[in-house]
Amino acid sequence: MVLMIQGTASNVGKTTIATALCRYFAKKGVDVVPFKAQNISLNSIVSDDGGEMAIAQYIQAIACNKKPSYIMNPILLKPDITGSQLIVKGKPVEKIKNKKYMYSSKEELLNIAYECLKNLEKKHELVIVEGSGSAAEINIKDISNMAIAKKANASVILVADIDRGGAFAQIAGTMFLFNKEERKLVKGYIFNKFKGDKRLLLDFPEKFGKRFNIKFLGTIEYFNHNLFEEDITPFKEGKGDLKVDILKLPHISNTFDFEPLFLNTNARYVENIREDVDLIIIPGTKSTIHDLLWLKEKNNQIKKALSKGAFLFGICGGYQMLGKKLVEEEKEYEGLGYLNSYTYFIGKKTVRNVFAKENLFNTTVKGFEIHHGITKSFEKPFSKIYFNKKVIKDGTIKDNIFATYIHNIFHNNDFLEKFLNFLRIQRGYSKKDIVVKTLEEEIDRVTEIITSSLNMKEIEKIVYSSN
């Protein structure tokens, strides 16, 4: 059985709804797994089988109580300044130009994606497939919406963002652009992100659905959640007195690194650093050299904050930029110079899950690495990574500056509590216990909100009558 969630546009809520349906059917005892043929995202993570995949399908796998696998997201595009890195079945393949990729046939990639979907379908009872962007972009060769739905004979549910306005027109326009074969696959539709009184819709959604012989499946009211987003969300602000400024690099990536900070500090994404900031974070980036030039314009702000006792933390690309030099294709670039380290960009990409012992508080941490480049540091290491029976020195500790290649470092609760309380004492605040919200709890909360708003009996009928 294959159920597919498609959208009338990007950011209508496909990912969150698919995640909720994954957890709903898993709780009902169904052997369910997620799938997305192609994802375009800078928020990627290392799967349990050692490949790179989008964070959305990683979370959906957890919602299904399954080990995340890159097979669940076989095609991943990571945009940068000159195009995109193409990742196929967890491994980087080539650098491509965006325009060329958009209009190429992509037949080989479609076949790869469908083979992965078929393998999942053979091994599991239900596959919940998430579409990509708008389902009816007729100017672009499709491999992740109706192209995959037709191959799999999937039952499709459309999602429209009613908060944008014109939700009926979104559904109608999408159905109009589908051909006859595609329209037959659509079984129902959902309004998402509603603000106001749902009763004002009256019975028009049901009447509207009859025009296209599809079921209206419900309206989900707008709500906030703490699931990691596949897209960058730079407008968040945390609660707390400790001020943390995360520099909003032009090609910032892996922003889910910082979700625990938004729960425990006054964290913000910023382009200009607050004068009374306590901690500055330079995050990861898909375009290190390009973003380094942008960052140098902020260097006086960094220096001023450090002179006032602020702390500085670089992660991945941020770590690289804090060093003296970065070398790419035999060209040397001056780094910010805060650390005695040198980064050499090489063709091979490091993609791995890691366990480490960090050297600030001697806690055991786990996370992952996704980066190009090898960094040679002549400072005290931030941690010792244990990988394949080897001990690898990682990162740097120098006065009030810290740096590491380990993503998800702040998701280690023991380290996070010790680190934040260390900062709090140094900056004149009193100690606090950290707020912890587990991913499992948030998936359950989101699932309850979404499924209580939908006609789940009708959705179950769609699922069990499919294929």
Side-chain angles (χ1 to χ4, degrees):
M1 298 181 293
V2 180
L3 177 67
M4 188 167 193
I5 308 301
Q6 295 185 11
T8 57
S10 296
N11 298 311
V12 299
K14 298 184 297 293
T15 299
T16 311
I17 292 171
T19 302
L21 294 178
C22 283
R23 176 51 59 94
Y24 174 85
F25 283 104
K27 281 192 167 184
K28 292 189 74 80
V30 179
D31 180 6
V32 57
V33 289
F35 180 80
K36 185 165 183 171
Q38 173 188 277
N39 210 326
I40 303 172
S41 177
L42 290 178
N43 277 346
S44 64
I45 195 166
V46 180
S47 65
D48 281 28
D49 46 6
E52 194 171 352
M53 67 185 294
I55 187 66
Q57 281 61 63
Y58 186 95
I59 292 172
Q60 288 165 359
I62 292 171
C64 293
N65 299 320
K66 297 293 191 299
K67 291 183 178 180
S69 168
Y70 55 79
I71 298 301
M72 299 167 181
N73 171 216
I75 312 298
L76 176 62
L77 290 173
K78 301 187 74 172
D80 62 20
I81 189 66
T82 59
S84 293
Q85 183 181 57
L86 175 63
I87 295 166
V88 178
K89 295 175 72 171
K91 304 298 180 187
V93 174
E94 61 178 322
K95 186 79 170 289
I96 54 174
K97 297 291 185 181
N98 291 336
K99 185 176 180 180
K100 180 181 178 182
Y101 182 79
M102 283 174 63
Y103 299 109
S104 64
S105 70
K106 300 192 279 285
E107 198 66 36
E108 183 181 353
L109 293 178
L110 175 59
N111 290 333
I112 290 170
Y114 181 54
E115 283 300 317
C116 292
L117 175 56
K118 278 202 305 184
N119 287 336
L120 290 173
E121 194 178 358
K122 286 177 185 176
K123 295 176 182 178
H124 305 279
E125 293 178 81
L126 173 63
V127 185
I128 294 180
V129 181
E130 181 189 334
S132 179
S134 164
E137 296 291 345
I138 59 175
N139 61 311
I140 299 172
K141 177 66 177 179
D142 172 36
I143 68 169
S144 52
N145 289 300
M146 276 302 177
I148 205 81
K150 286 186 287 188
K151 277 182 170 288
N153 192 29
S155 296
V156 174
I157 295 174
L158 282 177
V159 180
D161 179 355
I162 197 169
D163 185 48
R164 298 183 185 187
F168 289 109
Q170 292 175 42
I171 298 293
T174 300
M175 292 296 287
F176 175 79
L177 290 171
F178 286 156
N179 62 37
K180 187 177 180 180
E181 180 188 4
E182 293 165 345
R183 284 194 288 271
K184 283 183 179 179
L185 295 176
V186 182
K187 308 301 180 185
Y189 76 99
I190 294 168
F191 283 156
N192 193 26
K193 302 184 183 181
F194 186 82
K195 295 176 182 176
D197 187 349
K198 290 193 286 186
R199 292 173 298 180
L200 296 175
L201 292 170
L202 302 176
D203 62 349
F204 284 99
E206 288 81 7
K207 290 178 179 177
F208 175 80
K210 289 177 181 178
R211 293 189 187 184
F212 301 98
N213 194 30
I214 60 177
K215 291 282 187 178
F216 174 61
L217 300 171
T219 300
I220 303 167
E221 294 187 47
Y222 185 92
F223 69 98
N224 291 314
H225 66 80
N226 292 306
L227 295 177
F228 309 149
E229 301 279 5
E230 69 178 9
D231 296 317
I232 308 303
T233 52
F235 304 110
K236 299 178 68 171
E237 183 172 348
K239 297 179 181 179
D241 44 13
L242 194 70
K243 299 178 184 65
V244 178
D245 283 355
I246 305 162
L247 282 164
K248 193 168 61 175
L249 302 174
H251 299 89
I252 185 173
S253 64
N254 289 23
T255 52
F256 54 84
D257 279 345
F258 311 117
E259 290 300 316
L261 297 179
F262 283 96
L263 292 173
N264 289 281
T265 72
N266 182 221
R268 297 180 185 178
Y269 292 107
V270 302
E271 293 186 2
N272 292 294
I273 297 166
R274 287 176 280 185
E275 289 192 3
D276 58 346
V277 69
D278 299 303
L279 172 65
I280 302 164
I281 294 178
I282 306 176
T285 168
K286 187 64 185 66
S287 302
T288 305
I289 300 301
H290 179 273
D291 286 7
L292 174 61
L293 300 177
W294 179 91
L295 188 60
K296 284 181 177 180
E297 297 178 3
K298 313 296 177 183
N299 200 18
N300 286 336
Q301 296 179 26
I302 295 173
K303 288 178 179 178
K304 187 174 181 180
L306 290 175
S307 71
K308 293 183 177 181
F311 288 78
L312 180 61
F313 205 124
I315 297 178
C316 197
Y319 168 31
Q320 295 171 341
M321 290 187 277
L322 286 172
K324 288 186 175 181
K325 284 187 180 180
L326 298 87
V327 181
E328 183 178 48
E329 296 179 352
E330 299 183 355
K331 290 184 180 179
E332 288 192 359
Y333 299 87
E334 295 292 328
L336 296 181
Y338 290 102
L339 303 177
N340 187 14
S341 62
Y342 302 81
T343 296
Y344 303 87
F345 291 100
I346 56 174
K348 189 176 180 182
K349 188 176 187 180
T350 300
V351 179
R352 61 190 177 195
N353 291 305
V354 297
F355 284 88
K357 182 81 75 172
E358 52 81 16
N359 292 321
L360 274 173
F361 313 106
N362 205 35
T363 66
T364 299
V365 296
K366 65 178 182 178
F368 64 94
E369 292 182 67
I370 297 180
H371 61 88
H372 285 285
I374 293 174
T375 299
K376 293 184 178 180
S377 175
F378 299 93
E379 316 273 10
K380 178 183 177 180
F382 176 82
S383 71
K384 293 178 182 177
I385 291 174
Y386 300 92
F387 184 80
N388 283 348
K389 298 182 180 180
K390 295 180 180 179
V391 180
I392 304 165
K393 292 181 180 180
D394 160 71
T396 293
I397 298 172
K398 181 183 178 182
D399 301 324
N400 56 345
I401 301 173
F402 316 108
T404 180
Y405 267 125
I406 302 174
H407 288 287
N408 264 10
I409 185 69
F410 298 122
H411 289 262
N412 293 275
N413 293 334
D414 191 16
F415 169 77
L416 178 67
E417 184 156 32
K418 286 181 169 62
F419 179 67
L420 291 183
N421 280 324
F422 164 75
L423 293 182
R424 296 182 68 80
I425 292 169
Q426 295 295 317
R427 299 293 287 168
Y429 303 103
S430 58
K431 281 188 174 183
K432 277 187 181 180
D433 294 334
I434 61 169
V435 176
V436 176
K437 288 187 180 179
T438 70
L439 181 57
E440 291 285 348
E441 289 171 337
E442 189 64 4
I443 290 172
D444 282 339
R445 185 182 78 88
V446 167
T447 300
E448 174 59 28
I449 292 170
I450 289 176
T451 57
S452 65
S453 301
L454 299 178
N455 186 341
M456 293 308 300
K457 286 185 178 179
E458 197 63 49
I459 290 176
E460 286 185 31
K461 281 184 188 178
I462 292 170
V463 168
Y464 294 118
S465 63
S466 66
N467 301 337

